[in-house]
Amino acid sequence: MTANVDTERLLAAIDGDTSCVVVQYPDILGRIEDMSALAAKAHENGALLIAVVTEPVALGAIKAPGEMGADIVVGEGQSIGVGLQFGGPYVGLFACKQKFVRQMPGRLCGETVDAEGKRGFVLTLSTREQHIRREKATSNICTNSGLCALAFSVHMTLLGEKGLRDLAMLNHGLAVQAAERLAQIDGVEIINNNFFNEFLVKLNKSSRDIVRELADRKILGGVSLGRLYPGDAALENGLLIAVTELATEEGIEALAHNLKELLA
Amino acid sequence: MSGINESGWRPEMSRVGEASAPATFTGNRALMLEEPLIFEIGTIGTTGVDLADSPKVAARLGGLERNRDIGLPGLSEGEAVRHYTRLSRQNYAIDLGFFPLGSCTMKHNPRLNEKVARMKGFADVHPLAPAQSVQGALAVIHELAHWLVTLTGMEAVAMSPKAGAHGELCGILAIRAALEAKGDARSVVLCPESAHGTNPATAAFAGYETENIPATPDGRVDLEALQARLGPDVAAVMITNPNTCGLFERDLKTISDMVHAAGGFVYCDGANFNAIVGRVRPGDLGVDAMHINLHKTFSTPHGGGGPGSGPVVLSKALAPFAPLPFVEKRGEEFVLIEEESAGDHHGSSFGRMTAFHGQMGMFTRALSYILSHGADGLRQVAEDAVLNANYLLRSLEDVLDAPFAASGPCMHEALFSDKGLADGFSTLDIAKGLIDEGYHPMTVYFPLVVHGAMLIEPTETESKAVMDQFIGAMRSVAGRAKAGDVLLKSAPHFAPRRRLDETLAARKPVLVWQEPEQAVAAE
């Protein structure tokens, strides 16, 4: 549990055998790191940089991975228009530089014209796909997440640039507020220097137990690192806390109050 | 002249077809509305949401604040509602009419399922919420798993795969794990020529070489050819049953015995399970792994191609290798097994397919479908789906070539070829003609074993009246294709767009919004 990613170690590991470097942004502990150096080193060695964005709302507040040299960006679209639904269905996002388009998996929609010259759209570049290329296809993907992708698009349209930026800053503002409040509690240490809407705290007790005890008090207090990394004693006191636009001051206060009692 | 209109002439009859209709100022045609893209009507300053102000705090973004415009257009709520409603009216949908897309099982999506899936305790639950707070959700997964295992006569089910092809991958990875556990690495997966493209693509993705198994002239797996090819290098045979020619592989038990005797496993592509649900248990036929497309057989909506859900049922031999997680019932409590060490039976699990527990939103709908139909209702689903397909096959075989009509009754799909169409006319022309008749076309050019294939799947949803009208339309369009009606070559005439230039789309791909060239030039 450290405030920063050990980028130096990752940089040192990139060599001529490296095909790609995969980095989460923000990462699983909520940390935000500049990927430019990784992109440069990867490219020097003929490798690609793949950025993974599990919280697309963050991109309303922080630099786009493409600006930092990412070749491929994949994301989880759930937080924009798709319900939590206990894990699915969600919508995966996949973007890449133009030059990799013909290696992409799955369905692609392209613009064209009809017999009267009117603009229209078709599924295209399908010679990449399993129903045509079979074992030589770029993937075995057949089904897409059309309905979830539609919900994502509608939600993005309702937000627009202004809405997405405001939403991102609201998430961040509430998260900073929550982190500052929780930092006042004995037995809580905020690990992150920087974060978007999710940050790591270190408790003075096993976070798995604390999460269960909070749930008994009708508070869903975060995800324990003990659950995400079972058996790793160094992480068992880590607790990941996400704060979105749905959080209220009362909610943050209730979490702080109960955490204080349980950690005392 | 008397004033009586004996001919039945009406004013609009003099203006049939759009060629003779006048152009409109807007480009709209009454209720058929043209709609620009959001990039052309939205602005970056417009939003449809009204958010609270952000608290005044010092940002902790590590100096990575975004300072460039994104270029994302927004609309007000009213504008957004109109934009997407207008676009939706340019689409065909199962709620508009008959949707005979073979292999896709476009059946009615019962509204009860939608109500259940939207219950807050299912729809708004975090996948990593503590188990004590999600007992109901875990109970749904456990109960659906029970019914999937029961309906298929299998040992276990992996619930997490996200769709059919993902389920195939899960099954093949379980087969690979089982073989590796025996120290028996094998390199080849066999697929029939008529297989869905996902089968060989999956096997290749899992690191296997693939080889074709030929079909007999009656459209089924050639047993002799299969026997000749089986050997110590064959890891698995992937069979679709009913197969994509719309026929039941009646020798599947024999095939399974042959494959098992040669030390391999049988993967069954369950895409066509709708034809046999409640009637045949794949476990009784020796199948080792089969995915179930919940979005097909169990009616979860998959408009535009998804979302899917592809749980995989597994035989006793493969069950120990199934991916995590699992839901187990211990006493009165439902427990989510997320670690190999946590359960009694999962020490050999090959890993995970997904971060979470599967397509819960599909699980609730599928369980609702299963429980509301009951055993008798599910059996009737299969029976009616097969009956409908046979009705179509026998009603069209005199106007369209049905290559396997002599092989006996079909299952839930009727398959035709382009044999006998006039010179220069193709399956594509029939598909485009059907659009003008108000139907979504059938699946075309699949399976590959039939020239100019047309694969029609009516499902149990459709009534005889609906099918009779479709049969009339098909007979008319097929008749025009056989007679060489040139107007069919330029169909559709009445759709929101005429034939689209697919070659242009592929040659000069425009895959994301691009500013019009003149705007770029002006900068």
Side-chain angles (χ1 to χ4, degrees), chain A:
Chain A
M1 287 189 271
T2 55
N4 293 94
V5 181
D6 192 349
T7 305
E8 290 306 318
R9 202 169 121 210
L10 187 50
L11 282 169
I14 302 171
D15 61 24
D17 283 339
T18 308
S19 65
C20 64
V21 180
V22 185
V23 188
Q24 197 184 350
Y25 173 81
D27 78 358
I28 190 166
L29 305 183
R31 301 171 300 189
I32 311 167
E33 301 279 341
D34 194 328
M35 294 179 281
S36 306
L38 285 172
K41 183 81 186 282
H43 295 159
E44 272 168 34
N45 285 277
L48 303 183
L49 178 68
I50 303 176
V52 183
V53 180
T54 47
E55 174 50 280
V57 174
L59 298 183
I62 57 176
K63 260 188 196 174
E67 271 186 69
M68 292 179 269
D71 299 282
I72 296 173
V73 182
V74 296
E76 168 55 67
Q78 179 273 320
S79 66
I80 298 189
V82 183
L84 273 171
Q85 306 177 84
F86 204 47
Y90 294 164
V91 53
L93 312 172
F94 186 112
C96 67
K97 290 181 174 167
Q98 182 81 27
K99 62 180 171 181
F100 302 123
V101 156
R102 286 172 198 274
Q103 282 80 51
M104 278 180 77
R107 302 277 192 247
L108 284 174
C109 182
E111 186 178 316
T112 186
V113 294
D114 78 351
E116 293 175 347
K118 287 184 185 167
R119 177 172 67 192
F121 300 91
V122 292
L123 292 176
T124 192
L125 300 181
S126 53
T127 49
R128 302 164 296 113
E129 292 189 76
Q130 48 77 23
H131 62 281
I132 296 184
R133 292 298 297 280
R134 300 175 78 80
E135 71 276 5
K136 295 187 184 68
T138 56
S139 85
N140 68 340
I141 292 175
C142 180
T143 301
N144 61 60
S145 277
L147 287 169
C148 300
L150 175 62
F152 182 98
S153 298
V154 173
H155 196 103
M156 282 295 266
T157 303
L158 285 167
L159 287 173
E161 175 130 354
K162 176 173 167 34
L164 182 66
R165 282 175 168 270
D166 290 351
L167 179 65
M169 291 320 292
L170 178 56
N171 271 253
H172 184 58
L174 288 167
V176 170
Q177 208 171 38
E180 286 171 358
R181 177 66 187 86
L182 297 177
Q184 297 166 8
I185 300 168
D186 283 344
V188 175
E189 183 190 343
I190 308 293
I191 300 296
N192 301 54
N193 287 335
N194 57 59
F195 55 88
F196 170 61
N197 71 350
E198 192 164 314
F199 55 89
L200 179 66
V201 300
K202 186 178 175 187
L203 307 180
N204 63 4
K205 290 184 178 167
S206 155
S207 58
R208 235 175 158 165
D209 295 340
I210 295 294
V211 166
R212 291 191 189 113
E213 289 173 48
L214 283 169
D216 286 339
R217 296 172 173 222
K218 309 260 183 240
I219 291 173
L220 296 177
V223 178
S224 64
L225 288 196
R227 180 170 179 182
L228 297 179
Y229 300 97
D232 190 334
L235 299 177
E236 68 180 14
N237 289 4
L239 178 66
L240 274 174
I241 294 178
V243 182
T244 73
E245 74 278 9
L246 295 178
T248 59
E249 273 184 46
E250 296 76 35
I252 292 168
E253 194 51 46
L255 173 63
H257 173 75
N258 283 281
L259 209 47
K260 186 177 176 182
E261 284 188 2
L262 291 169
L263 296 177

Side-chain angles (χ1 to χ4, degrees), chain A residues 130 140-143, chain B residues 103-105 148-149 151-152 154 156-175 191 195-203 237-242 244 266-277 280-283 287-298 308-315 318 323 353 363 412:
Chain A
Q130 48 77 23
N140 68 340
I141 292 175
C142 180
T143 301
Chain B
S103 230
C104 293
T105 314
L148 296 180
V149 162
L151 284 166
T152 54
M154 301 287 277
V157 59
M159 296 296 285
S160 61
K162 297 257 167 188
H166 202 217
E168 289 177 25
L169 184 62
C170 175
I172 293 296
L173 291 177
I175 288 169
C191 304
H196 293 120
T198 49
N199 294 179
T202 295
V237 176
M238 298 180 85
I239 304 264
T240 307
N241 199 16
T244 64
V266 177
Y267 186 91
C268 182
D269 181 327
N272 297 340
F273 191 52
N274 202 49
I276 58 173
V277 61
V280 176
R281 301 194 313 166
V287 167
D288 291 292
M290 182 181 93
H291 71 266
I292 301 169
N293 304 77
L294 296 185
H295 50 293
K296 298 181 182 177
T297 308
F298 299 107
S309 181
V312 177
V313 288
L314 298 164
S315 64
L318 293 183
M353 296 295 291
F363 295 167
H412 66 310

Side-chain angles (χ1 to χ4, degrees), chain A residues 119-121 150 153-154 157, chain B residues 28 31-41 75 79-93 96 496-497:
Chain A
R119 177 172 67 192
F121 300 91
L150 175 62
S153 298
V154 173
T157 303
Chain B
N28 298 335
L31 293 177
M32 198 185 282
L33 304 167
E34 286 295 315
E35 181 63 7
L37 299 175
I38 51 168
F39 305 98
E40 294 156 341
I41 52 176
L75 297 176
E79 290 168 332
V81 167
R82 282 187 180 162
H83 175 70
Y84 288 103
T85 304
R86 285 173 174 224
L87 289 179
S88 79
R89 291 170 56 126
Q90 296 183 14
N91 284 0
Y92 197 79
L96 286 174
R497 288 293 180 274

